[in-house]
Amino acid sequence: MTCGNRLALHHLLAVLLVAAAGAGAFASPVTARPESWGVEQLMRSLGQVKSARGRFVERKHLAILDAPLELSGTLVYTAPGRLEKHTLRPKEESLVLERDTLTVSTGGQRRTLVLQDYPVVWAFVESIRSTLAGDLQTLNRFYEVALEGTEAQWHLLLKPSAPKMQSVVSEIRIGGSRNWISTIEILETEGDRSVMTVSRDAS
Amino acid sequence: MNVSKGWVLGAWFAFLLACVVVVVRTDFTADLSAFLPRSPTPAQEILVEQLRSGAVSRLILVGIEGGATDALAEVSKRLAASLRRQELFALIANGEDAVSDMDRDFLWRNRYLLSPAVTPGRYSVQALRERLEANLHLLGSPVGMFVRRVLPNDPTGEFMALVERLQGASRPAMQHGVWFSRDGQRALLIAQTRAAGGDIDAQQRALAVIRGAFAEAAGDRTASLLVSGPGVFSVHSRERIKNDAWRFALIATALVAGLLLALYRSPRVLGLGLLPVASGALAGVAAVSLGFGAVHGITLGFGVTLLGEGVDYAIYLFTQSTPATAPHRTLERIWPTLRLGVLTSICGFSAMLLSDFTGLAQLGLFSISGLIVAVIVTRAVLPVLLPPGFSTPAADAFGPGVVSLARRAPLLRLPLLAIVALAAVYLTLRGGSLWSDDLARLSPVPARDQLLDQQLRRDVGAPDVRYVVVADSKEEQDALEASENLSAALERSVRQGWLEGYESPSSFLPSVRTQRARQAALPAAETLRENLHQALSGLPFRPNLFDPFLKDVAAAKEVPPLDRASLEGTGLAMRLDSLLVKRANSWTAMLPLRGVSDTGGVTREIGAVREGHVALLDVKRESNALYHTYRREALAYSLLGAGAIVVLLFASLRSPRRVFDVLAPLAAAVIVVTAVLVASGQELSIFHLVGLLLVVAVGSNYSLFFDRQMPSVQDRQRTVVSLLFANMSTIIGFGVLSFSEVPVLNAIGTTVGLGAIMALVFAAILSRREEVG
């Protein structure tokens, strides 16, 4: 009975962006070799990636289900701001993020959202897009950013700074190696969790 | 003599005092619906009610512009927060939370009674299985988080469907969490007052509160406030009419006073000259206040026009007095003519008195009582107050020149005939109606304000309320059932592409019959448990996850049906109240339509609905039709008034030829003025008609005096000069009005100003009275 009445539409759309955000930044031969390695160096090397493709597998661990939900499909990134997530299983669905709009297509239906209309969604989008683009400034606007690990295996920890976002998500963890993002983990405030792993697309 | 003097003055003072007492307690309104009729058709009656007090009339549209987007959004949020604390407003919306927590809670608790999807087949094993599989897919998709929270209670998704429907199809664009215009230049906010749009004092308070709250919310940010809406228009119109009425009254008074001073060179005479008018105006306002309960601002503005004719009486007396005769002798001499002139005017104004147009009827009563008092004061009070041996040098100075002009005027008969013939031919051959039936032209709201209103309305996506489907029924439940059937018909019309959308009272409160039907469609607890059990087999949902659903359905099956009181405190209640209205003997459901492209199709679809009295109302067409009826009626009354004038003249003058002599200049003036107005591009409104009536009323005095037998050349001179002075004061009074931007005042001012000159000149030209001596 407590549910439902507090949810605005943009909260639910936020989730959609978590999914959209689960895109990898993918291969590039360029590797920076700075004197000392930190967030700024990581961002610079990520920012040099111009385009990438990958396959993803996403597992959602939900309290209401006995077994996790598993989704898989492909991800395509084109610098500086276009991201596509095509879910192939269990059902086809595609999300396309371009500049400040997000287009969702399911079973012939298509809906376009303007990010500015949905601040929480926008925060989600930027968690991934800014990471992919190496845009630390934007990232800092929405999150407290922390970095763990080494250049070969790092974890970017993002804690939302806006209260609305905090009520939905407690933390986003992006893991990777050099300029490749390999995992995106989203921890929700109510204990549900989703983990996406990204592998290089052989094709 | 002194005793009777005392009595006269005493009675006069007592009368004025009584008038003042009445006037002081008078309510002044500027309600535009005073210019709507009292006895229209049922559909029009609803329309008028809506314009006066309906939800639409209570809407105030607010725009905030002139700053950076984030600053404007911040101002919008602060403004909304501050206005929400005010008792004056039933609703403040700026996009922050389109559906309030209370509304959400209401929808959540009553979803099984409110959702149209609740039908018998919805809870079969197969249907449940389909919904569960769809939900499983949704959990993995963008809306997963939302679905996750409501799923245990609402696996069939009734709540989400209700919220989506309520948020509506047309919503303004959003930026920084609040509504913005498409171009992002303007933050938008809607306020709905509790008070009716016709309650101008309340609207004025609401407006002041909005302005104050905005100043506070804006602080030192650069942002400017725009407000629009029916209430705003009423407030501004009242201001403008009040201002114009006062300003023009003052200007005209000053000018007429200047004229009198120049002519009579005596402040005392000046004061005396204004006495009849002032007494008349006071009595007029008092009479309207007693007769109608309130005085319309426009009626007040009309006080100026009374100046035009009322001052004439004093001028006739002053100018025609000679040192040799006492004022009361002069009066006895001119009284028959003066009396006939006043009676003629009263005949003319009676036509207005009969009008269904409250505004016009007020003008009629105001003028009649004002003129009667003015002429009585001239007759009874002025002679008492005039110094003995009073005479004006002006008459002697101007006399010879004016008379010689008047004597030569008949030479212009042929040219005048030609002009009148030309005007008549022009009016006949011009084709098309002379009259404008567009009510908007009468609106005292300036075009730029109307434009701003349209822009804000478009930005906000507020319905333009041109088309409304109306169903009238004896009982509340019948009205709700009618609106359910109408909704179904409109749903079909939407699918046909005849309209984009609609609102219906039954979305917020379904009829008891429908609620019962939905309860009956919900399966018994055991059946539902068994169906759900079968539907869940093989799906990964946690065991007992849906127990809350079973509990909620069982409860929904037993609850008493919702009524109006169940919605109390929610925003939905207000929306329901604006769509379902209790009237004197019936209930009216209103379903405003959005984006209508085929009225014929919609009319056919709703034609099949049998409950209640159903009609598709085209607000614009109805209001114009209303006005059309009105104008025809006013025209009929005017003709009746003109007929009464003719009868009166026959009875007094007892000579068809003299009646003709008196009427010919007036008829010529009316024809030529009409032609001039039309040729100058004016579309004639009901107010021009009133103006023409006034031309006849005022002008009849001129031709009556011209027609009068004169004992001497001096008398003739004094008479003609008095007519000239009277005419000048009339032209000043009305001419000043023609500078007003309020259409009513402007139309009357222009028409009478022009007409008065013509009536005098034409009377001189057509006069057949040979000079004596």
Side-chain angles (χ1 to χ4, degrees), chain B residues 473-653:
Chain B
S473 307
K474 276 263 163 293
E475 302 293 331
E476 184 184 23
Q477 286 304 319
D478 297 338
L480 286 172
E481 284 174 25
S483 55
E484 279 162 357
N485 293 331
L486 285 170
S487 300
L490 291 172
E491 205 57 61
R492 287 193 294 275
S493 303
V494 170
R495 280 198 296 274
Q496 294 286 339
W498 295 332
L499 76 153
E500 282 169 17
Y502 64 94
E503 271 191 64
S504 167
S506 57
S507 311
F508 307 101
L509 180 61
S511 69
V512 169
R513 185 189 293 186
T514 298
Q515 294 185 55
R516 295 268 189 231
R518 286 177 188 156
Q519 285 181 315
L522 295 172
E526 266 322 299
T527 318
L528 185 61
R529 183 180 296 278
E530 184 51 35
N531 287 359
L532 185 66
H533 180 73
Q534 288 185 33
L536 276 170
S537 83
L539 296 179
F541 291 103
R542 217 188 53 207
N544 301 329
L545 178 67
F546 295 108
D547 284 357
F549 167 57
L550 297 174
K551 217 176 88 214
D552 285 359
V553 169
K557 219 171 152 44
E558 301 304 323
V559 292
L562 302 171
D563 59 14
R564 166 62 183 78
S566 322
L567 279 85
E568 200 55 59
T570 66
L572 309 176
M574 202 203 57
R575 286 170 75 174
L576 174 66
D577 289 348
S578 69
L579 300 176
L580 182 68
V581 180
K582 184 173 172 25
R583 302 177 56 232
N585 299 310
S586 65
W587 286 81
T588 300
M590 276 170 290
L591 294 82
L593 309 185
R594 209 169 49 235
V596 178
S597 55
D598 183 349
T599 48
V602 176
T603 310
R604 276 196 305 282
E605 277 293 347
I606 64 168
V609 176
R610 288 278 156 256
E611 287 84 357
H613 178 85
V614 174
L616 172 64
L617 203 65
D618 176 346
V619 172
K620 187 176 161 64
R621 203 189 57 203
E622 288 295 341
S623 50
N624 285 343
L626 202 64
Y627 170 64
H628 180 75
T629 319
Y630 240 167
R631 209 230 319 118
R632 276 222 319 257
E633 177 202 278
L635 195 60
Y637 285 134
S638 303
L639 291 176
L640 208 67
I645 290 175
V646 174
V647 171
L648 178 70
L649 290 177
F650 263 111
S652 315
L653 304 175

Side-chain angles (χ1 to χ4, degrees), chain A residues 1 3-5 7 12 15-16 60 62-66 69 71 91 93 106 116-117 168 188 190 192, chain B residues 101 104-105 108 137 139-143 145-146 148-151 153 174-176 540-543 545:
Chain A
M1 285 307 275
C3 40
N5 48 2
L7 285 172
L12 60 105
V15 184
L16 148 172
K60 295 190 181 213
L62 308 179
I64 62 168
L65 295 184
D66 286 336
L69 276 181
L71 297 91
K91 220 166 170 178
E93 179 176 77
T106 333
Q116 281 184 330
D117 295 358
V168 182
E188 290 180 29
E190 291 188 358
D192 287 347
Chain B
D101 286 354
R104 247 171 242 284
D105 194 52
W108 175 253
H137 168 65
L139 285 176
S141 88
V143 289
M145 163 172 282
F146 181 68
R148 209 174 308 167
R149 296 194 186 184
V150 297
L151 193 62
N153 292 72
M174 298 274 277
Q175 292 210 30
H176 302 283
F541 291 103
R542 217 188 53 207
L545 178 67

Side-chain angles (χ1 to χ4, degrees), chain B residues 337-410:
Chain B
T337 312
L338 200 56
R339 191 183 48 198
L340 187 55
V342 174
L343 286 176
T344 318
S345 300
I346 289 174
C347 280
F349 288 120
S350 313
M352 292 161 66
L353 198 56
L354 295 174
S355 170
D356 269 343
F357 223 134
T358 313
L360 276 190
Q362 283 199 4
L363 292 187
L365 181 60
F366 177 86
S367 307
I368 291 174
S369 39
L371 287 183
I372 291 174
V373 170
V375 82
I376 290 175
V377 170
T378 308
R379 178 82 171 94
V381 180
L382 284 192
V384 175
L385 296 176
L386 270 184
F390 171 81
S391 163
T392 60
D396 299 325
F398 290 100
V402 173
V403 167
S404 85
L405 269 181
R407 193 173 290 141
R408 270 178 284 167

